[in-house]
Amino acid sequence: MPDPTPQEAGPPPLTLAGARTGMRLTLPLVPGVIVFGTAFGAAAAQKGLDLWLTLSLSAFVFAGASQMVALELWREVWTWPTLLYLVAVTATINGRMVLMGAAIAPHVKAMPRGIRLLNFFVLVDANWLVATRYHGEGGRDLGVIVGAGAMLWALWLLATIPGFLAGALVTRPEAFGLDLVMPIFFAVMLVPLWKGLGPAIPWIAAGAVALATSALVDGYAFIVVGALAGALAGALRDG
């Protein structure tokens, strides 16, 4: 996709046009975000959380998978061991963000400090993938990743409210095939990034190691292990 605001060589621009482009590129994700945001709200209500606490989790944590896992581990009475276990599990799930942040760091280093911090706050798999594809196609506008992240954050937060109020709305999205929306989106977004078998070696390594780890080890370690395997394979290939 061409840069919405083509510029001469120099610092990459950060424009509202780019932010709008980022929002538009996330439109295929809207149904999935709404469904899973709603499901999180419903699950939180069933766990007995207040609306303000549920909204706070969506607004300040903004990590769908780890929010769901946190609800599974939620306790009415907390002890230090259970709290540390929750921290360890969510840190494992979100550990991939370290590698994702490092991958986009060269693109966002020109951002003003405040906007750069905002960008990392709203960074999730979807807008990271949107931005990676956009930059891979020659786009330079830094507003794309910020706009995509801001839109996903707002949708997630808003979708939490009706789910909480309904209590049990869409408790089994897989019954309607709605749980496939995000995987299909990611698969479609990855196809244009295909550059041949050689550059795909890190993808293959990450996927194979993640599948093997998932089969051998309970929990969510496969996310971090797979990401590290892909990063190592990429480093060895480039080296």
Side-chain angles (χ1 to χ4, degrees), residues 93 116 171 175 189-190 219 226:
I93 295 173
R116 186 166 67 249
T171 55
M189 291 293 288
L190 283 171

Side-chain angles (χ1 to χ4, degrees), residues 73-176:
L73 302 176
W74 198 266
R75 300 288 185 271
E76 292 186 5
V77 178
W78 288 94
T79 62
W80 280 109
T82 55
L83 182 59
L84 290 175
Y85 180 67
L86 176 62
V87 171
V89 171
T90 53
T92 298
I93 295 173
N94 290 332
R96 70 193 187 282
M97 296 295 178
V98 176
L99 299 176
M100 291 165 57
I104 66 168
H107 301 302
V108 303
K109 64 182 179 181
M111 286 181 176
R113 179 180 176 85
I115 297 178
R116 186 166 67 249
L117 292 175
L118 173 64
N119 170 71
F120 282 117
F121 172 72
V122 297
L123 179 65
V124 291
D125 304 76
N127 62 320
W128 177 84
L129 187 56
V130 165
T132 299
R133 176 180 175 181
Y134 171 78
H135 287 295
E137 294 177 348
R140 300 179 67 243
D141 198 315
L142 299 175
V144 169
I145 189 170
V146 178
M151 181 171 178
L152 292 170
W153 179 86
L155 284 173
W156 181 261
L157 182 61
L158 291 174
T160 301
I161 299 174
F164 182 91
L165 296 178
L169 181 63
V170 195
T171 55
R172 295 183 61 246
E174 67 277 5
F176 305 95

Side-chain angles (χ1 to χ4, degrees), residues 204-230:
I204 297 171
V209 171
L211 286 173
T213 303
S214 177
L216 296 173
V217 180
D218 291 334
Y220 302 92
F222 70 93
I223 298 175
V224 174
V225 175
L228 290 174

